[in-house]
Amino acid sequence: MDSASLIWTALLFAGLVQGVFVSTVLLANRGEARRPGLLMAILTLVLTLMIGEELVDTAGLYARWPHALLSTFSLPLAIGPLLYLYALRINDPDRRWRAKDLSHFIPLILTTVVLVPFYRLAGSDKLEVLDRELGRTIDFLVAFKGTHVLAYQVVAFLVCGQKLGSAACAARVHFVWFRRMLAATFVPVVLIHILYFFPTLAPSVFSESDRFGSLVVAGVIYSFAFAAIKRPFFLISSIAPATESAEAGVPKPPKYRNSPLEGPEKQALLDALLGHMKRERPYRDPEIGLDDVAAALSVSPHALSQVINELVGVNFYAFMNDYRIEAVKRMMADPAHRHRKLLALAFDAGFNSKTSFNRVFRERTGMTPSQCREELELESPVVLPASASRF
C-alpha cells in the first residue's frame, strides 16, 4: 500500500470508529430525547457504513471481500429522508411516526431491488459484471442519488427556517446548527457528483469522488460528535419550559393533602401570582423569599408554595430563576444591552453570583449563557417565544 492510500485508510478508519461511537451514544438516549436521537443515530450509521465500504476499497480488500462491492450503493438514498424527518422532528418535538413517512424511502427500496441480481452473483463475477453490464445503470443512479440528496437538503433547510425566528433559545441553537450543517455540505455534495463524471477537474488527491465523498462524510460525523459534546442538541426535546402549568387533576403531594385549596382557588392564586410577577418583577431582588411574595399577595406561604409546586411543577426558587433567565434572554436579544457583560445582565435579573447564574442557565436551557447570546445575536430582531409573554 502506497503512502497516500495509507493516509486515506487511516482517515477513513478514524471516521468509522467515530461513527460507531456517535451512533451508540445517540441510541443510548432515553425518554423524549430518544425520538430525535434515533433519527440522527440511524443517519450516522448510514454514513458509517458508507465509510466502511470505501475503507475496504482504499485498503485494497475487494479481492478478499468481493461481496462488499456496491454493498452500500443504495444507502445515500436514505440520507435525504432522514434529514427531512429530523427537521420535522425538531420543528415539532411531539410529532409521531406516520405511515406516509415510509414513502420517502421508496427510492432506496427500488434501487436495492434493481441491484439484487448483482448482489446474488458469485464474488468472482461481480467486478466483471459491474464493468460490462451495469456501467450505464450505475451512472444514472449516481446522478439520481445526488439530485435526491440535494433536493432533501434544501427542503430540510426550509423546514428548519419556518420556526427559527420564534424558537426558544435552546431550540433556536439547534435549528441554526442544523441549517448550517445542511448549507455547509451542499457544495461538497455537488462537487462529489461532478467529480464522479469529470474526475480530471480536481487535483489527483481528490480525483476519486468516492474518496472525497467519504472524507466529507467523515467530516459530517465529526461535526455531529463535536456538536453533541459542545451543546446537548439531542436532549432539546426533553427540555420543557419550567413555568408551564401542570396537568389538572394531578394528585396532591402528601404535604398538601390537608390543604383546603382546590382547583378554582389555586388557579385564582396562580393568576394573581403571575400578574404580580409581571407588574412588580420581584425576581430582580436576589434576596426575595417565599414569605415576601406570599405577604405581597396576602396569602400564606404554604398556599403559595402549593400552587407553585402543583400548577407550575417546580419549587419557589426554580420558579424565580426561570423568570430571571427569561429576563436575561430578553436583554441578550435587545441591541441596547449587547455591549454589556453577561454577569451585569445576570445581576440585573436577580442572580447573586456568577456560579449560580451559569449553573441555573445551563440546567434550564441546555446551553451556556455565552452560547445563547451568540445565537440570539445571529439575526435581529429576535422574536421571543409566546411562552415568555408572562414574564
Side-chain angles (χ1 to χ4, degrees), residues 308-383:
I308 294 174
N309 275 268
E310 291 184 357
L311 298 190
V312 182
V314 296
N315 62 34
F316 173 79
Y317 293 103
F319 179 74
M320 286 293 171
N321 283 335
D322 285 333
Y323 273 87
R324 290 165 180 152
I325 290 170
E326 290 300 327
V328 170
K329 286 160 59 178
R330 282 200 306 276
M331 287 187 282
M332 286 179 178
D334 186 348
H337 292 280
R338 288 184 181 175
H339 67 284
R340 303 180 64 198
K341 294 184 180 297
L342 286 171
L343 191 56
L345 302 184
F347 287 156
D348 276 0
F351 287 99
N352 57 11
S353 75
K354 179 179 179 180
T355 301
S356 63
F357 169 55
N358 288 331
R359 175 180 57 79
V360 171
F361 198 99
R362 188 173 184 91
E363 285 176 356
R364 305 309 293 178
T365 69
M367 69 185 69
T368 66
S370 58
Q371 290 167 350
C372 186
R373 183 178 218 175
E374 175 187 345
E375 299 303 337
L376 285 173
E377 292 179 354
L378 282 176
E379 297 179 13
S380 182
V382 175
V383 180

Side-chain angles (χ1 to χ4, degrees), residues 99-390:
K100 67 178 183 180
D101 290 342
L102 296 176
S103 64
H104 294 284
F105 297 94
I106 290 176
L108 167 66
I109 296 170
L110 293 179
T111 302
T112 303
V113 170
V114 168
L115 293 174
V116 164
F118 175 80
Y119 292 144
R120 297 180 62 184
L121 291 173
S124 57
D125 297 332
K126 285 189 172 181
L127 283 173
E128 181 181 351
V129 170
L130 178 63
D131 292 335
R132 188 182 70 246
E133 300 177 13
L134 283 181
R136 290 186 178 180
T137 301
I138 294 299
D139 288 348
F140 169 78
L141 292 176
V142 167
F144 175 71
K145 287 192 301 181
T147 304
H148 185 269
V149 172
L150 292 169
Y152 270 101
Q153 282 184 260
V154 172
V155 173
F157 185 89
L158 296 176
V159 167
C160 279
Q162 292 175 357
K163 293 187 178 180
L164 182 61
S166 60
C169 190
R172 178 184 173 82
V173 175
H174 199 169
F175 289 148
V176 170
W177 170 81
F178 190 58
R179 281 163 60 92
R180 283 178 177 174
M181 187 273 293
L182 292 171
T185 55
F186 188 88
V187 172
V189 171
V190 172
L191 291 177
I192 289 167
H193 291 86
I194 290 177
L195 291 178
Y196 177 85
F197 294 100
F198 306 100
T200 58
L201 294 179
S204 59
V205 68
F206 291 130
S207 61
E208 295 188 35
S209 62
D210 289 343
R211 284 190 179 181
F212 179 50
S214 297
L215 186 61
V216 172
V217 167
V220 171
I221 290 176
Y222 272 98
S223 74
F224 290 169
F226 178 76
I229 292 171
K230 186 178 179 183
R231 296 165 177 165
F233 289 136
F234 309 112
L235 300 179
I236 292 300
S237 62
S238 66
I239 298 174
T243 50
E244 291 296 321
S245 295
E247 291 289 334
V250 175
K252 293 181 180 179
K255 65 178 179 178
Y256 300 126
R257 281 179 183 159
N258 296 324
S259 171
L261 283 178
E262 294 300 335
E265 293 86 352
K266 288 189 289 187
Q267 187 59 52
L269 179 50
L270 177 62
D271 292 341
L273 171 63
L274 296 180
H276 177 69
M277 297 294 289
K278 188 170 185 178
R279 290 190 308 272
E280 304 300 330
R281 298 186 290 176
Y283 54 86
R284 297 185 66 183
D285 179 1
E287 304 300 326
I288 196 76
L290 179 66
D291 291 350
D292 302 314
V293 178
L297 296 173
S298 300
V299 298
S300 70
H302 188 269
L304 181 59
S305 175
Q306 178 183 352
V307 165
I308 294 174
N309 275 268
E310 291 184 357
L311 298 190
V312 182
V314 296
N315 62 34
F316 173 79
Y317 293 103
F319 179 74
M320 286 293 171
N321 283 335
D322 285 333
Y323 273 87
R324 290 165 180 152
I325 290 170
E326 290 300 327
V328 170
K329 286 160 59 178
R330 282 200 306 276
M331 287 187 282
M332 286 179 178
D334 186 348
H337 292 280
R338 288 184 181 175
H339 67 284
R340 303 180 64 198
K341 294 184 180 297
L342 286 171
L343 191 56
L345 302 184
F347 287 156
D348 276 0
F351 287 99
N352 57 11
S353 75
K354 179 179 179 180
T355 301
S356 63
F357 169 55
N358 288 331
R359 175 180 57 79
V360 171
F361 198 99
R362 188 173 184 91
E363 285 176 356
R364 305 309 293 178
T365 69
M367 69 185 69
T368 66
S370 58
Q371 290 167 350
C372 186
R373 183 178 218 175
E374 175 187 345
E375 299 303 337
L376 285 173
E377 292 179 354
L378 282 176
E379 297 179 13
S380 182
V382 175
V383 180
L384 289 175
S387 61
S389 60
R390 71 178 71 166

Side-chain angles (χ1 to χ4, degrees), residues 8-9 11-16 46-58 62 72 188 192 206 208-222:
W8 277 109
T9 300
L11 290 173
L12 295 176
F13 182 75
L16 181 71
V46 167
L47 299 177
T48 302
L49 290 172
M50 291 167 58
I51 290 179
E53 185 188 347
E54 182 58 26
L55 181 61
V56 171
D57 183 19
T58 302
Y62 270 144
T72 64
I192 289 167
F206 291 130
E208 295 188 35
S209 62
D210 289 343
R211 284 190 179 181
F212 179 50
S214 297
L215 186 61
V216 172
V217 167
V220 171
I221 290 176
Y222 272 98

